[in-house]
Amino acid sequence: MMSITELLYKKRFGGELTSEEIRAFVQGVTKGEFADYQVSAMLMAIAINGMSARETVDLTMEMAQSGDMLDLSPISGVKVDKHSTGGVGDTTSLVLVPLLAACGVKVAKMSGRGLGFTGGTLDKLESIPGVSISMDTDRFMKVVDESGLAIIGQTAQLAPCDKVLYALRDVTSTVDVMPLIVSSILSKKLASGADVIVLDVKTGSGAMMTTVDKAMELAKTMVDIGNRTGRRFAALVTDMNQPLGRYVGNALEVEEAIDILSGRTQGELKEVSLQLGAQILRLSGKAKDAKEGYKLLSDALDRGEGLKKLAEMVKNQGGDSRAVYDTSLLPKADKTEELPSPRAGFISKIHTNMIGYAAKALGAGREKKEDPIDPAAGLIMRVRLGDFVEKGQSLATLMEGSLSRTEEAKKLLLDAIELGDAPVEKPQLIYGVIE
Ligand code: URA
Ligand code: CA
């Protein structure tokens, strides 16, 4: 058994850890054999000296195997998954998963809860009356095999090594380290069992990667490392310089997803969802290229099949599927209020992370994982980058409840939305596709 100090010494001087050494490190971390300061020292050595592609693949695989690896082979057909690096008004899963199921691929999705300023898919789903996000594995497999889709909570046994590493990264300034981000995200996706995985790497004022260059680098590295693990990966780099959809909140985002699947709402959220799905259908062999994949999804949407699949999923998970056809059955805010623009001008910049914090102040998100949230709370953005507004025109509608800190939310929103005198160009929506 090699000692942790030997591993630390090697990485400190930029050495390449062998597969056995990485295995020993990951197993030791998972079993709690090392002190936090030793694990933290390794994280810092990796941050400073980096890792080769081979080391990153080994780290990813070992982290994936540090807990349960879900075996989806009882489910027939191609099993697919997607992952977003996180953003505001980012409800692509609720639009895309039903459309994918309608196109004949299987989505056995394990999601996380939201923390910080981005809402989690689980919190959004639970805002639908009755929906449960826990299911035992046998039923999960059966439901996905028969119906094509289910979204449930991640088990504690999914890549447990990542939980330890992530908590230490958070407090040692080693979150934004390429091999650590890549292994963290990919290990959880690999352990979830899908054959085809598409990544939505966000860039901009509401994203982990604020510049396009950094986001492209992350996307390329994840696709490269992901493909080396034997699964099929692709990635999109997409804009997060403003909320992707107009609705920010839990029931609110469910409503927007339903509006898209009903054909009532167009826009960037729909477009990114279809582009992600197009890559999934291409990699699954359901479409010869992304263009054909896009058309299959778009036709399924037009025929109402995505909406039908969403209703089926809600019903299978114990929820009231009537809410899918009648969004007035979703939780509603106690009170709504418009936020008037303080002046006339062009929307020149949106600090998207602050829009997320405003939604959180209204009760839509949580600081700590045990904090309560209000499913109905949040906001609706009334402006997009480049729009011209008159003084007094609404910038956003606030949806308030008993948890709302409304004055704080208003201040955040006014700081988040910058107005200028000159017209500005609308941002590009998709910066790159890594096939
Ligand atoms: N999301 C993760 O799961 N891990 C990271 O390291 C960054 C984002
Ligand atoms: Ca509506």
Side-chain angles (χ1 to χ4, degrees):
M1 175 64 203
M2 55 209 94
S3 75
I4 181 73
T5 48
E6 279 171 51
L7 298 187
L8 285 169
Y9 191 83
K10 189 168 180 183
K11 200 55 181 169
R12 174 184 163 197
F13 292 103
E16 188 173 341
L17 300 178
T18 65
S19 302
E20 292 70 34
E21 288 167 337
I22 288 174
R23 177 171 310 138
F25 176 69
V26 168
Q27 291 186 352
V29 168
T30 308
K31 291 184 194 143
E33 285 169 359
F34 309 136
D36 284 355
Y37 47 79
Q38 293 173 314
V39 180
S40 299
M42 179 62 87
L43 294 171
M44 189 57 78
I46 292 169
I48 292 168
N49 292 317
M51 277 189 143
S52 68
R54 200 224 87 241
E55 284 178 293
T56 310
V57 172
D58 285 342
L59 180 62
T60 303
M61 292 302 284
E62 290 298 334
M63 285 171 67
Q65 288 161 11
S66 68
D68 298 339
M69 294 282 282
L70 206 62
D71 173 14
L72 299 180
S73 58
I75 301 169
S76 63
V78 186
K79 277 77 74 177
V80 307
D81 199 354
K82 64 150 286 257
H83 178 80
S84 159
T85 59
V88 177
D90 180 33
T91 328
T92 53
S93 286
L94 293 181
V95 176
L96 182 53
V97 169
L99 288 173
L100 287 168
C103 289
V105 291
K106 302 290 172 64
V107 203
K109 192 159 179 54
M110 298 235 223
S111 280
R113 288 198 187 275
L115 265 187
F117 60 80
T118 62
T121 302
L122 295 184
D123 298 309
K124 296 173 198 173
L125 270 178
E126 280 182 331
S127 74
I128 304 171
V131 166
S132 158
I133 50 80
S134 42
M135 226 189 255
D136 68 53
T137 310
D138 287 347
R139 179 160 154 76
F140 181 55
M141 301 280 187
K142 186 163 179 291
V143 165
V144 176
D145 192 37
E146 287 170 4
S147 175
L149 76 172
I151 303 178
I152 63 168
Q154 283 169 4
T155 64
Q157 277 311 305
L158 192 82
C161 181
D162 179 61
K163 294 201 171 64
V164 180
L165 294 184
Y166 198 89
L168 292 173
R169 286 167 60 202
D170 213 19
V171 292
T172 55
S173 206
T174 53
V175 169
D176 60 339
V177 177
M178 203 54 78
L180 297 179
I181 299 173
V182 169
S183 55
S184 170
I185 293 176
L186 294 187
S187 61
K188 286 172 283 192
K189 289 287 121 185
L190 295 180
S192 306
D195 313 308
V196 166
I197 298 151
V198 169
L199 306 162
D200 183 8
V201 179
K202 306 286 189 187
T203 181
S205 61
M208 172 172 61
M209 297 293 168
T210 50
T211 68
V212 174
D213 284 352
K214 286 295 269 182
M216 284 295 286
E217 186 191 348
L218 176 60
K220 283 181 183 154
T221 310
M222 286 204 290
V223 170
D224 174 43
I225 301 295
N227 285 334
R228 290 173 196 241
T229 68
R231 315 280 177 96
R232 279 161 279 161
F233 277 85
L236 261 57
V237 173
T238 67
D239 188 64
M240 192 39 71
N241 284 300
Q242 59 187 331
L244 184 58
R246 270 62 172 171
Y247 288 35
V248 185
N250 293 288
L252 285 165
E253 292 184 41
V254 169
E255 181 172 349
E256 188 165 24
I258 289 171
D259 285 346
I260 289 172
L261 291 173
S262 307
R264 290 191 288 272
T265 292
Q266 310 298 321
E268 292 90 338
L269 173 57
K270 175 181 172 182
E271 182 61 18
V272 169
S273 302
L274 293 182
Q275 296 278 2
L276 289 167
Q279 293 298 327
I280 291 180
L281 293 186
R282 176 183 67 80
L283 289 173
S284 304
K286 291 276 172 194
K288 66 176 189 302
D289 54 23
K291 187 160 172 273
E292 187 182 81
Y294 189 98
K295 184 162 187 331
L296 287 172
L297 292 159
S298 161
D299 289 349
L301 191 154
D302 292 343
R303 288 194 298 266
E305 290 169 12
L307 196 67
K308 234 166 79 188
K309 276 289 165 197
L310 180 63
E312 207 174 299
M313 182 178 91
V314 166
K315 185 159 176 286
N316 284 331
Q317 300 192 203
D320 182 356
S321 58
R322 290 173 312 164
V324 170
Y325 297 101
D326 177 4
T327 53
S328 75
L329 297 172
L330 293 170
K332 294 292 171 216
D334 299 342
K335 183 175 162 224
T336 70
E337 187 179 344
E338 303 301 325
L339 180 73
S341 180
R343 54 164 283 193
F346 292 94
I347 306 296
S348 58
K349 178 158 177 71
I350 296 180
H351 300 270
T352 310
N353 54 345
M354 290 165 70
I355 305 285
Y357 289 126
K360 193 170 83 170
L362 290 167
R366 52 170 77 80
E367 195 84 53
K368 303 188 298 296
K369 64 179 191 301
E370 50 287 343
D371 290 346
I373 58 169
D374 176 350
L379 56 97
I380 301 175
M381 292 292 289
R382 298 299 180 192
V383 292
R384 302 295 284 173
L385 283 170
D387 287 355
F388 180 81
V389 293
E390 301 288 355
K391 181 172 193 246
Q393 191 178 326
S394 178
L395 298 173
T397 307
L398 282 62
M399 319 294 267
E400 302 163 27
S402 57
L403 299 174
S404 295
R405 302 188 304 272
T406 305
E407 290 315 307
E408 182 185 334
K410 283 184 188 165
K411 184 170 182 321
L412 280 163
L413 284 170
L414 289 174
D415 287 344
I417 302 170
E418 287 186 20
L419 289 144
D421 296 322
V424 294
E425 255 184 77
K426 295 194 177 287
Q428 199 173 322
L429 182 59
I430 295 174
Y431 297 97
V433 180
I434 293 103
E435 302 198 331

